[in-house]
Amino acid sequence: MSNNNASTSLAVAHKAVKQLRLEASVRRIHNVKLQSRFNQQGAELRRKEQHTNRMREKLSQFTDRHRDRGA
């Protein structure tokens, strides 16, 4: 392999490595965004579950009072 061919191959390899690093960086950024969205949705789900449980408790108390008055 001539010196020129080796230099060309090395330049191509460096370019490929640079592209792969860029793609890896983009994927990391995308993954961070997905993780953040996942965490936000988890927190929202927990808030909604807590609200649902509070509403169930209020409904239970209301129906208990209504039942006690009617009995």
Side-chain angles (χ1 to χ4, degrees), residues 25-40:
S25 176
V26 168
R27 286 179 188 253
R28 277 192 298 275
I29 292 167
H30 180 70
N31 288 341
V32 166
K33 288 179 181 179
L34 287 176
Q35 184 68 42
S36 176
R37 188 182 322 156
F38 173 80
N39 290 338
Q40 288 172 352

Side-chain angles (χ1 to χ4, degrees), residues 16-29:
V17 168
K18 185 176 180 180
Q19 181 64 30
L20 289 171
R21 286 182 176 157
L22 176 62
E23 289 173 11
S25 176
V26 168
R27 286 179 188 253
R28 277 192 298 275
I29 292 167

